[in-house]
Amino acid sequence: MHTHPHLQSTYVQSGRFVFTIDGVEHEVAQGDTIAFASNVPHGTVCLEAGVLVDIFNPMREDFLK
């Protein structure tokens, strides 16, 4: 579980995952999208190997270093 000051939207390109967002679990699979506000506690568990495409606003400058 972690937080960050960015809005996050995640597209599930493949696989299956469980996101816990502010204490609530959401199972997602290929083709699903999930989004949540900044500073909300969240984490992800992989149920079936896959690829997640994350979009952050504003951009995650810490990922560029």
Side-chain angles (χ1 to χ4, degrees), residues 12-42:
V12 183
Q13 184 173 325
S14 59
R16 283 186 330 115
F17 302 83
V18 172
F19 278 79
T20 302
I21 302 169
D22 207 16
V24 179
E25 291 187 350
H26 305 272
E27 187 170 332
V28 294
Q30 183 175 358
D32 290 339
T33 300
I34 194 161
F36 42 94
S38 60
N39 298 313
V40 173
H42 62 281

Side-chain angles (χ1 to χ4, degrees), residues 43-55:
T44 307
V45 174
C46 180
L47 301 177
E48 181 182 303
V51 175
L52 297 174
V53 179
D54 292 324
I55 300 165

